Amino acid sequence: MKGKVTSFDIAHVAGVSQSTVSRALRGSPLVNEETRRRIQAAVDELNYKVDKNASGLRAKHTGTLALLLFEDPTADESHINPFFLSMLGSITRASAKRGYDLLISFQQFSLDWHADYADSKKADGIILLGYGDYLAIRDKLSKLVAQGTRCVRWGAVLPDQPDVSVGCDNLSGGYEVTTHLIGQGCRRIAFLGDASSHFPEFFDRYRGYVNALREAGLEPEPLLQVNGVSTERSGYEAVETLLARGVNFDAVFAASDLIAIGALRALGDHGLRVPDDVALAGFDDIPMASFINPPLTTVLQDTKLAGEILVDNLLRLIHGEPAESTRLPARLIVRRSSQRPR
Amino acid sequence: MKGKVTSFDIAHVAGVSQSTVSRALRGSPLVNEETRRRIQAAVDELNYKVDKNASGLRAKHTGTLALLLFEDPTADESHINPFFLSMLGSITRASAKRGYDLLISFQQFSLDWHADYADSKKADGIILLGYGDYLAIRDKLSKLVAQGTRCVRWGAVLPDQPDVSVGCDNLSGGYEVTTHLIGQGCRRIAFLGDASSHFPEFFDRYRGYVNALREAGLEPEPLLQVNGVSTERSGYEAVETLLARGVNFDAVFAASDLIAIGALRALGDHGLRVPDDVALAGFDDIPMASFINPPLTTVLQDTKLAGEILVDNLLRLIHGEPAESTRLPARLIVRRSSQRPR
DNA sequence: CTGAAAGCGCTTACAG
DNA sequence: CTGAAAGCGCTTACAG
């Protein structure tokens, strides 16, 4: 077909200079209303679109945001954590609403993800999303920020972090779940999930759990905590570890819903009924949580709000404005899995 | 900080011309091994990345693919169909593996999605994904293809379609589900989902259902078919419609798992047990399908393979090679929801 | 195998 | 309010 239509073609049709076309299209106030109208007419007629590469090259910004979804390498490759999937949906909508495109990329946690995006001018800023070893990426984060890369992270809000993050109030979430389990009469509550500063979100949930126990006059037992990442398999194995230890427990607080779902299976396979023999609770409120049997008690994180704040903070950074890390409220959702017979 | 590092900086450090740097980086065979090594060293040292905007502008391609996920406007806004989410995951991985970035965009079905992407040179080609009224977008598809836009679609493979698509064998999927239900002793099988050429995937599933019925000497009854889109709400309402019609049924074949899940709830709310009173089957095998109670009989579509073929076909189109529409096998997964007591 | 040079389509000072 | 012109950082004929 005929060559691509450029701003020069528009200029020709509208009887103005190319500079004026560019100004009009960028919404500059310096353009006469009548002129603007003529240009718009030509644009519509020729179905013209600004070439993003050219404008990006010249103006040094791209109008796109990059979402790096990094996954724990131990996770099952074929399924993405549903929780991140809903974050992804909400981030996509939030950026679209603000006129930005979203580039998405799945990263193995181990790879050199930091250099990839903003550096090559594909995006104006990046959003980091995923579970993983925080301590392992901390230095990269610092370097990124020092280099002037605009980035925001979904995850724990820590006192001395180098970057801007948005996360949920994991501490109070963990506290509420545990308090609820105690209220159901549980006294020996296991915690399934890593509990170290490598995984600060899980750690905060764990600390909330410890706080609740202590408040009720209970002491946390090391044998009741089993490390694990956010996968069903990990949850399944954690329960088997617990069982192999021969320790008694009347409730399981899983650090994520995926862990809880795996735990539920393992409990069932070992003849333990939920909630009759063991009360169970998770964290995240993924869509599946309300569909499993019994429906899972868990903690809802507001992904819609999170996506919007993440994008807003990133845009603020891009525009050179200050942005603050934000901790979103966590809301306990009680379902059947934790309701003990009285 | 110091200005951005460009290919000229690399040329300077490596002691060659900028053209040679560009050639080396693009993998041209015209570059001496030793020269290439020097250039690579300089690239590593300065942490240089090719500017995508500049290369895209010059070379007229972007190295990115766009994924347009369009949703039925009637669908619940906050949740994306889990099936498309897994397609999204597999498409993302497939494009990454082939060195392309993925731009994603959620479109309201009604909007002017066709013009948005390839036109503005943001992507080399687009992938269309989503349920929706096929007849309504057909003209747009034709126009797109006529304009020379490279695009592939996930969906029904139709005899006279203007574009290249990849879909599953919905006809045989529908046939197998229905045959299975008949094998369980069901004789009055309801079909929940639109059955018209507006929704060719559902329609093919319906036609498979009809074929299976006829083969068994049963005649499809209009009263046993209820229109609906792929949402839980729609499934819930479809069952209520069925009940309101006062028609007898001993099985429900839902055109998608989401519909089946809604139907399951409605059946339960009306005191009907699955599978004892009514056998139930869905389509898609979303992750939830195996977690609900009872686990759902459904049809598995291989999303991993689908994503790869979609991307491969699109790249073929981009490179000016011919690409063929592909129909993927559908596999019946029998779970408890359809197993009638004998 | 390598270099000098044109040009991709914009944006944005600069000069009216 | 508008135009002429420079230049963003590459790729790719063209000429050795």
Side-chain angles (χ1 to χ4, degrees):
Chain A
M1 351 277 144
K2 51 181 201 289
K4 177 176 185 193
V5 9
T6 73
S7 53
F8 283 91
D9 300 322
I10 303 301
H12 184 74
V13 171
V16 295
S17 74
Q18 182 268 339
S19 333
T20 301
V21 171
S22 179
R23 276 191 206 96
L25 264 26
R26 314 224 60 218
S28 159
L30 299 177
V31 180
N32 181 291
E33 256 324 303
E34 159 61 12
T35 312
R36 189 186 300 280
R37 244 191 310 276
R38 277 214 316 283
I39 291 173
Q40 191 54 53
V43 165
D44 293 342
E45 183 190 339
L46 302 186
N47 193 226
Y48 168 75
K49 299 276 177 191
V50 171
D51 184 312
K52 282 269 181 177
N53 282 140
S55 67
L57 173 57
R58 186 52 238 243
K60 290 164 181 315
H61 67 76
T62 60
T64 107
L65 268 22
L67 175 64
L68 301 201
L69 212 167
F70 42 89
E71 301 170 72
D72 198 295
T74 56
D76 173 5
E77 213 211 292
S78 64
H79 284 298
I80 307 166
N81 188 324
F83 174 71
F84 292 124
L85 247 19
S86 29
M87 286 293 295
L88 188 157
S90 107
I91 290 170
T92 306
R93 284 182 222 275
S95 12
K97 208 195 295 183
R98 289 153 186 77
Y100 277 77
D101 289 320
L102 223 223
L103 216 44
I104 85 166
S105 164
F106 290 31
Q107 305 277 325
Q108 280 303 58
F109 204 68
S110 46
L111 298 185
D112 204 23
W113 53 267
H114 66 283
D116 246 28
Y117 274 80
D119 279 358
S120 48
K121 292 284 174 238
K122 290 192 283 199
D124 297 337
I126 70 189
I127 299 173
L128 266 20
L129 184 62
Y131 285 132
D133 186 335
Y134 172 72
L135 261 25
I137 63 160
R138 218 197 127 139
D139 285 348
K140 287 186 184 175
L141 280 179
S142 303
K143 203 176 302 175
L144 259 192
V145 172
Q147 282 177 187
T149 302
R150 288 79 169 78
C151 83
V152 296
R153 171 174 55 87
W154 166 259
V157 175
L158 270 7
D160 52 351
Q161 64 189 34
D163 58 340
V164 171
S165 70
V166 176
C168 124
D169 190 341
N170 295 296
L171 189 71
S172 86
Y175 172 85
E176 289 200 24
V177 167
T178 311
T179 299
H180 162 72
L181 291 171
I182 293 169
Q184 294 294 311
C186 303
R187 287 299 173 268
R188 301 192 53 79
I189 305 172
F191 182 90
L192 269 35
D194 213 290
S196 78
S197 49
H198 287 270
F199 299 87
E201 295 180 271
F202 280 13
F203 196 28
D204 277 351
R205 293 168 198 178
Y206 176 74
R207 294 194 304 132
Y209 153 88
V210 169
N211 290 163
L213 288 181
R214 295 225 163 105
E215 194 178 282
L218 301 167
E219 200 49 34
E221 283 185 41
L223 281 180
L224 283 174
Q225 185 270 327
V226 184
N227 282 337
V229 296
S230 190
T231 64
E232 288 171 52
R233 171 191 299 271
S234 189
Y236 194 99
E237 292 170 352
V239 164
E240 297 206 309
T241 301
L242 213 49
L243 261 15
R245 286 182 188 168
V247 61
N248 279 326
F249 57 94
D250 53 16
V252 167
F253 171 21
S256 82
D257 286 351
L258 247 26
I259 294 178
I261 288 171
L264 179 62
R265 281 220 168 131
L267 291 168
D269 287 356
H270 288 274
L272 292 167
R273 292 162 307 163
V274 173
D276 304 64
D277 300 324
V278 179
L280 177 65
F283 207 106
D284 285 345
D285 197 27
I286 62 178
M288 255 179 240
S290 60
F291 287 107
I292 63 173
N293 184 37
L296 184 67
T297 290
T298 187
V299 175
L300 170 71
Q301 308 189 61
D302 186 340
T303 52
K304 181 157 187 296
L305 183 59
E308 306 218 316
I309 296 185
L310 240 13
V311 170
D312 283 339
N313 274 345
L314 184 52
L315 292 184
R316 218 162 274 143
L317 254 24
I318 289 172
H319 298 134
E321 299 159 21
E324 272 180 24
S325 291
T326 313
R327 196 174 280 138
L328 267 25
R331 190 153 67 85
L332 177 69
I333 308 280
V334 175
R335 298 201 183 95
R336 218 170 64 231
S337 73
S338 64
Q339 314 225 356
R340 299 301 298 278
R342 301 260 142 194
Chain B
M1 356 271 142
K2 48 172 204 289
K4 175 176 186 196
V5 8
T6 73
S7 52
F8 283 91
D9 299 322
I10 303 300
H12 184 73
V13 171
V16 295
S17 75
Q18 182 268 338
S19 331
T20 302
V21 171
S22 179
R23 277 193 206 95
L25 264 26
R26 314 224 60 219
S28 159
L30 299 178
V31 180
N32 181 291
E33 255 324 303
E34 159 59 13
T35 311
R36 191 187 299 279
R37 245 192 308 277
R38 278 216 314 285
I39 290 172
Q40 190 54 53
V43 165
D44 292 343
E45 183 191 337
L46 301 187
N47 193 226
Y48 169 73
K49 300 275 176 191
V50 172
D51 183 313
K52 283 269 181 175
N53 280 141
S55 67
L57 173 57
R58 185 52 236 244
K60 290 166 180 314
H61 67 75
T62 59
T64 107
L65 268 24
L67 175 64
L68 301 202
L69 213 168
F70 42 89
E71 303 170 72
D72 197 295
T74 56
D76 172 4
E77 213 211 293
S78 64
H79 285 297
I80 307 167
N81 188 326
F83 174 72
F84 292 123
L85 248 19
S86 26
M87 286 292 295
L88 190 157
S90 106
I91 290 171
T92 306
R93 283 182 223 276
S95 14
K97 206 195 297 184
R98 289 152 185 78
Y100 277 78
D101 289 320
L102 224 224
L103 215 45
I104 85 166
S105 164
F106 289 33
Q107 304 279 326
Q108 280 301 59
F109 205 69
S110 46
L111 297 186
D112 204 22
W113 53 268
H114 66 282
D116 247 27
Y117 276 81
D119 279 358
S120 48
K121 293 284 176 238
K122 291 192 283 198
D124 297 337
I126 68 188
I127 299 174
L128 266 19
L129 184 63
Y131 285 132
D133 186 337
Y134 172 71
L135 261 24
I137 63 160
R138 220 197 126 139
D139 284 348
K140 287 186 184 175
L141 280 178
S142 304
K143 203 176 301 174
L144 260 190
V145 171
Q147 281 177 188
T149 303
R150 290 78 169 78
C151 83
V152 297
R153 171 174 55 87
W154 166 259
V157 176
L158 270 6
D160 52 352
Q161 64 189 34
D163 59 339
V164 171
S165 71
V166 176
C168 123
D169 191 340
N170 295 297
L171 189 71
S172 87
Y175 173 86
E176 289 200 23
V177 166
T178 311
T179 300
H180 162 72
L181 291 171
I182 294 170
Q184 293 295 310
C186 302
R187 287 298 172 270
R188 302 192 52 80
I189 305 172
F191 181 90
L192 269 34
D194 212 291
S196 78
S197 48
H198 287 269
F199 299 87
E201 295 181 270
F202 281 13
F203 196 27
D204 277 352
R205 293 168 197 176
Y206 177 74
R207 294 194 305 132
Y209 152 89
V210 169
N211 291 348
L213 289 181
R214 294 226 163 105
E215 193 179 283
L218 301 168
E219 201 49 35
E221 284 184 39
L223 280 180
L224 283 174
Q225 185 270 327
V226 185
N227 283 337
V229 296
S230 190
T231 64
E232 291 170 50
R233 172 191 298 270
S234 189
Y236 194 98
E237 292 171 352
V239 165
E240 298 206 308
T241 301
L242 213 49
L243 260 15
R245 285 181 188 168
V247 61
N248 280 326
F249 57 95
D250 52 15
V252 167
F253 172 21
S256 83
D257 285 352
L258 247 25
I259 294 177
I261 288 172
L264 178 62
R265 282 219 168 134
L267 291 168
D269 287 356
H270 288 274
L272 293 166
R273 293 162 307 162
V274 173
D276 305 63
D277 299 323
V278 177
L280 177 66
F283 208 106
D284 286 343
D285 197 27
I286 62 178
M288 255 180 241
S290 61
F291 288 107
I292 62 172
N293 185 35
L296 184 67
T297 291
T298 186
V299 174
L300 171 71
Q301 308 189 61
D302 187 341
T303 52
K304 182 158 187 294
L305 183 59
E308 306 218 317
I309 296 184
L310 240 13
V311 171
D312 284 340
N313 274 346
L314 183 53
L315 292 185
R316 218 161 275 143
L317 255 22
I318 290 172
H319 298 133
E321 300 160 19
E324 272 180 24
S325 291
T326 313
R327 197 174 278 139
L328 267 26
R331 189 153 67 85
L332 178 69
I333 307 281
V334 175
R335 298 201 183 95
R336 218 171 66 232
S337 72
S338 64
Q339 315 225 353
R340 299 301 297 278
R342 303 255 141 199

